[in-house]
Amino acid sequence: MKKWLHNTVIGCTAAALLLFLAGCGGGKESPAASSPPAAATGIQERTIKAGIGLNEDHPEGQGLKKFAELVSQKSGGKLKVQPYYAAQLGDDKKMTEALQAGLQEITIPSTSPLVGNIKEYAIFDFPFVFNEEKEAHAVLDGPLGQKLLEKLPEHNLIGLGYWENGFRNLTNSKHPVAKAEDFKGLKIRTMQNQVHLEAFQALGANPSPMAFSEVFSALESHTVDGQENPLATIKSNKYNEVQPYLSLTKHVYTPFVFLVGKKFWDQLSVEEQQILRDSAVEAGAYQRELNRTENQKALDDLKAAGMQVNEVSAEEKERMQEIIKPVIDKFAKEIGEDLVQEMYDEVAKARQ
Ligand code: KDG
């Protein structure tokens, strides 16, 4: 037997024996045994279910495909990622709960529906914080983004980084929205997130929180007048077929967070964990770039498809921000004003 293989076999046997002995401690699992330390090396044949809410043709779907290819390449084909698109495995909340229960391995939701678990993620629902993607990336890829990822394990989740959903714009079936008063009375679907709901209420709209998978039918049946999402999503989900007006509000930048279920993660060897981590980061860089180009292309395509598109002036955005300020002040207190200030400081640094 080759020396390296021999050493590996001896190493794994010893590790397995140690784990067995640790697990025999008087019936009640010690904390150490409940999530045994990952073995150092070794890649097992595994099938990994990865579900998202967006379509395969969306940059998030393309990013997931890239992730699956990278994982296969890096594991010699032993780790097989099975992608499920368009909420085939359920909406964000259901898929996140499935990860926590060990029934699904990966999902990549917006941070917004996660706020029920980790309230601090609500800082990314504050309107008009970021002017461009690089500012959001500075926060997400810096100490603050890392600090929020570190809150996930206590919720049985592991975060491997942030992909890009992007700047959100408003569509509706009633009229263009060019000034703050134009929101009045509009029934707008929001994500299931209290900051979004109260911000739109402050603007005089009538918000209706619902899962992403229900949006198209709610628009088509006029249960709601409008919704807000990045351009690539508006195009991929064909909202232009039921929404004549597109207003370029760019009111919120939403990240995606790459989640792995902790029950699954703890079963992996360090080598398998590193493969998933490296692949999520590499596919994330690809996805962010693709999202940028697709959002620009989507704007041209949505205009060509007949949507009436209007800009929103900086002055009007400032007025909207003023109107929403009491909501932001309230949530800043709930989240922790130091954390909120840290975000604003990171943005200021990125603008230098
Ligand atoms: O899986 C898609 C979701 O993450 C969703 O949050 C996308 O921005 C979105 C929305 O409006 O629900």
Side-chain angles (χ1 to χ4, degrees):
M1 182 185 286
K2 289 190 179 67
K3 187 164 173 45
W4 66 268
L5 180 59
H6 176 271
N7 290 344
T8 304
V9 169
I10 295 295
C12 288
T13 309
L17 186 59
L18 277 174
L19 286 177
F20 173 74
L21 292 174
C24 292
K28 190 175 176 316
E29 275 200 332
S30 68
S34 62
S35 52
T41 60
I43 302 174
Q44 291 181 34
E45 297 269 348
R46 298 180 193 270
T47 299
I48 299 168
K49 290 192 301 299
I52 59 172
L54 289 158
N55 298 326
E56 181 175 358
D57 71 352
H58 185 279
E60 191 188 35
Q62 292 301 299
L64 180 54
K65 266 178 82 169
K66 181 79 174 177
F67 171 76
E69 287 161 11
L70 289 167
V71 168
S72 178
Q73 281 162 20
K74 294 173 190 283
S75 67
K78 287 189 173 180
L79 300 179
K80 295 177 181 61
V81 175
Q82 227 165 33
Y84 293 86
Y85 306 103
Q88 288 172 290
L89 299 183
D91 62 32
D92 291 324
K93 279 179 182 288
K94 185 167 182 297
M95 290 194 279
T96 303
E97 286 160 5
L99 260 60
Q100 290 167 316
L103 303 172
Q104 178 181 328
E105 288 73 48
I106 288 174
T107 191
I108 318 171
S110 296
T111 49
S112 308
L114 277 180
V115 168
N117 274 309
I118 299 110
K119 67 178 191 309
E120 292 83 358
Y121 269 131
I123 58 175
F124 297 116
D125 298 303
F126 286 14
F128 304 114
V129 169
F130 304 110
N131 292 331
E132 49 186 311
E133 289 86 356
K134 75 176 174 85
E135 296 169 3
H137 297 166
V139 174
L140 291 164
D141 301 340
L144 180 50
Q146 183 55 37
K147 196 184 289 181
L148 296 177
L149 291 179
E150 285 161 10
K151 290 180 177 296
L152 288 166
E154 67 193 76
H155 299 277
N156 260 336
L157 297 166
I158 299 292
L160 297 188
Y162 299 98
W163 289 14
E164 181 162 281
N165 193 354
F167 282 104
R168 309 179 75 89
N169 297 289
L170 180 78
T171 67
N172 84 90
S173 57
K174 295 288 185 189
H175 50 68
V177 171
K179 57 186 188 305
E181 290 74 15
D182 295 340
F183 283 97
K184 193 156 179 48
L186 281 181
K187 289 180 287 183
I188 296 175
R189 175 269 174 177
T190 67
M191 290 188 281
Q192 292 151 312
N193 173 288
Q194 203 58 25
V195 179
H196 280 248
L197 191 147
E198 294 189 28
F200 278 111
Q201 276 172 337
L203 287 167
N206 179 4
S208 176
M210 71 180 74
F212 179 66
S213 47
E214 297 161 24
V215 174
F216 188 91
S217 53
L219 295 170
E220 191 177 37
S221 61
H222 294 284
T223 309
V224 293
D225 302 321
Q227 65 82 46
E228 40 84 58
N229 249 293
L231 297 171
T233 302
I234 295 166
K235 176 187 166 188
S236 172
N237 282 62
K238 299 183 172 34
Y239 293 156
N240 57 288
E241 291 178 359
V242 288
Q243 297 274 273
Y245 303 104
L246 167 59
S247 303
L248 300 179
T249 49
K250 278 187 75 175
H251 53 280
V252 162
Y253 173 97
T254 306
F256 286 130
V257 56
F258 194 107
L259 297 177
V260 182
K262 189 174 183 299
K263 288 181 191 271
F264 167 68
W265 183 258
D266 288 345
Q267 297 164 21
L268 301 178
S269 69
V270 170
E271 189 176 359
E272 290 170 321
Q273 290 176 349
Q274 198 58 50
I275 287 171
L276 295 191
R277 194 181 294 283
D278 293 346
S279 303
V281 170
E282 199 174 326
Y286 163 81
Q287 189 274 338
R288 282 178 175 179
E289 205 41 54
L290 183 65
N291 205 52
R292 201 73 33 71
T293 47
E294 180 51 30
N295 270 316
Q296 182 48 49
K297 187 174 177 305
L299 181 56
D300 299 337
D301 295 346
L302 292 168
K303 283 177 180 172
M307 287 195 95
Q308 186 179 319
V309 180
N310 72 278
E311 298 282 348
V312 179
S313 69
E315 293 72 26
E316 277 305 319
K317 287 183 183 178
E318 270 169 38
R319 286 188 63 229
M320 293 171 191
Q321 210 168 351
E322 244 344 272
I323 292 166
I324 297 169
K325 191 172 181 310
V327 175
I328 301 311
D329 292 346
K330 168 189 165 186
F331 284 99
K333 284 191 177 64
E334 282 184 22
I335 294 167
E337 289 173 324
D338 292 350
L339 191 92
V340 173
Q341 190 53 52
E342 187 179 347
M343 174 179 67
Y344 288 122
D345 293 347
E346 290 292 316
V347 172
K349 225 188 292 178
R351 286 180 181 161
Q352 281 165 1

